[in-house]
PDB file of all heavy atoms in Angstrom:
ATOM      1  N   VAL A   3     185.739 151.255-163.225  1.00  0.00           N
ATOM      2  CA  VAL A   3     185.119 151.439-164.531  1.00  0.00           C
ATOM      3  C   VAL A   3     184.873 150.098-165.213  1.00  0.00           C
ATOM      4  O   VAL A   3     183.920 149.943-165.971  1.00  0.00           O
ATOM      5  CB  VAL A   3     186.002 152.348-165.408  1.00  0.00           C
ATOM      6  CG1 VAL A   3     185.431 152.454-166.816  1.00  0.00           C
ATOM      7  CG2 VAL A   3     186.116 153.740-164.787  1.00  0.00           C
ATOM      8  N   GLN A  12     181.527 140.861-154.106  1.00  0.00           N
ATOM      9  CA  GLN A  12     181.228 139.502-154.550  1.00  0.00           C
ATOM     10  C   GLN A  12     180.682 138.668-153.396  1.00  0.00           C
ATOM     11  O   GLN A  12     179.777 137.842-153.577  1.00  0.00           O
ATOM     12  CB  GLN A  12     182.491 138.842-155.118  1.00  0.00           C
ATOM     13  CG  GLN A  12     182.234 137.485-155.769  1.00  0.00           C
ATOM     14  CD  GLN A  12     181.223 137.543-156.895  1.00  0.00           C
ATOM     15  OE1 GLN A  12     181.380 138.299-157.848  1.00  0.00           O
ATOM     16  NE2 GLN A  12     180.138 136.772-156.783  1.00  0.00           N
ATOM     17  N   VAL A  54     166.760 138.479-140.092  1.00  0.00           N
ATOM     18  CA  VAL A  54     167.340 139.110-138.901  1.00  0.00           C
ATOM     19  C   VAL A  54     168.511 138.284-138.388  1.00  0.00           C
ATOM     20  O   VAL A  54     169.611 138.800-138.134  1.00  0.00           O
ATOM     21  CB  VAL A  54     166.266 139.273-137.800  1.00  0.00           C
ATOM     22  CG1 VAL A  54     166.909 139.758-136.501  1.00  0.00           C
ATOM     23  CG2 VAL A  54     165.188 140.252-138.243  1.00  0.00           C
ATOM     24  N   TRP A 161     156.052 165.301-126.585  1.00  0.00           N
ATOM     25  CA  TRP A 161     155.457 165.718-127.854  1.00  0.00           C
ATOM     26  C   TRP A 161     154.161 164.934-128.057  1.00  0.00           C
ATOM     27  O   TRP A 161     154.129 163.723-127.823  1.00  0.00           O
ATOM     28  CB  TRP A 161     156.412 165.457-129.014  1.00  0.00           C
ATOM     29  CG  TRP A 161     157.552 166.436-129.077  1.00  0.00           C
ATOM     30  CD1 TRP A 161     158.776 166.297-128.497  1.00  0.00           C
ATOM     31  CD2 TRP A 161     157.557 167.680-129.762  1.00  0.00           C
ATOM     32  NE1 TRP A 161     159.569 167.385-128.779  1.00  0.00           N
ATOM     33  CE2 TRP A 161     158.840 168.261-129.551  1.00  0.00           C
ATOM     34  CE3 TRP A 161     156.635 168.387-130.525  1.00  0.00           C
ATOM     35  CZ2 TRP A 161     159.207 169.494-130.076  1.00  0.00           C
ATOM     36  CZ3 TRP A 161     156.995 169.625-131.057  1.00  0.00           C
ATOM     37  CH2 TRP A 161     158.259 170.161-130.833  1.00  0.00           C
ATOM     38  N   ALA A 170     152.882 153.658-145.603  1.00  0.00           N
ATOM     39  CA  ALA A 170     154.201 153.517-144.973  1.00  0.00           C
ATOM     40  C   ALA A 170     154.433 152.045-144.643  1.00  0.00           C
ATOM     41  O   ALA A 170     153.845 151.513-143.707  1.00  0.00           O
ATOM     42  CB  ALA A 170     154.295 154.374-143.723  1.00  0.00           C
ATOM     43  N   ALA A 181     154.676 149.368-135.306  1.00  0.00           N
ATOM     44  CA  ALA A 181     156.004 148.810-135.568  1.00  0.00           C
ATOM     45  C   ALA A 181     156.898 148.995-134.344  1.00  0.00           C
ATOM     46  O   ALA A 181     156.638 149.826-133.466  1.00  0.00           O
ATOM     47  CB  ALA A 181     156.629 149.496-136.784  1.00  0.00           C
ATOM     48  N   LEU A 223     143.366 152.094-139.298  1.00  0.00           N
ATOM     49  CA  LEU A 223     142.047 152.419-139.847  1.00  0.00           C
ATOM     50  C   LEU A 223     141.617 151.413-140.901  1.00  0.00           C
ATOM     51  O   LEU A 223     140.450 151.016-140.947  1.00  0.00           O
ATOM     52  CB  LEU A 223     142.060 153.836-140.438  1.00  0.00           C
ATOM     53  CG  LEU A 223     142.352 154.965-139.446  1.00  0.00           C
ATOM     54  CD1 LEU A 223     142.304 156.318-140.163  1.00  0.00           C
ATOM     55  CD2 LEU A 223     141.361 154.951-138.292  1.00  0.00           C
ATOM     56  N   LYS A 240     146.388 155.991-137.816  1.00  0.00           N
ATOM     57  CA  LYS A 240     146.033 157.280-137.221  1.00  0.00           C
ATOM     58  C   LYS A 240     146.658 157.420-135.830  1.00  0.00           C
ATOM     59  O   LYS A 240     146.659 156.474-135.041  1.00  0.00           O
ATOM     60  CB  LYS A 240     144.508 157.413-137.110  1.00  0.00           C
ATOM     61  CG  LYS A 240     144.031 158.765-136.590  1.00  0.00           C
ATOM     62  CD  LYS A 240     142.511 158.852-136.575  1.00  0.00           C
ATOM     63  CE  LYS A 240     142.047 160.235-136.104  1.00  0.00           C
ATOM     64  NZ  LYS A 240     140.561 160.335-136.123  1.00  0.00           N
ATOM     65  N   LEU A 349     167.789 159.887-158.629  1.00  0.00           N
ATOM     66  CA  LEU A 349     166.383 159.980-159.018  1.00  0.00           C
ATOM     67  C   LEU A 349     166.185 159.508-160.454  1.00  0.00           C
ATOM     68  O   LEU A 349     165.160 158.895-160.784  1.00  0.00           O
ATOM     69  CB  LEU A 349     165.897 161.416-158.854  1.00  0.00           C
ATOM     70  CG  LEU A 349     165.960 161.963-157.419  1.00  0.00           C
ATOM     71  CD1 LEU A 349     165.538 163.428-157.383  1.00  0.00           C
ATOM     72  CD2 LEU A 349     165.096 161.142-156.479  1.00  0.00           C
TER      73      LEU A 349
END
Side-chain angles (χ1 to χ4, degrees):
V3 175
Q12 187 58 56
V54 173
W161 285 92
L223 298 181
K240 184 177 182 179
L349 299 176

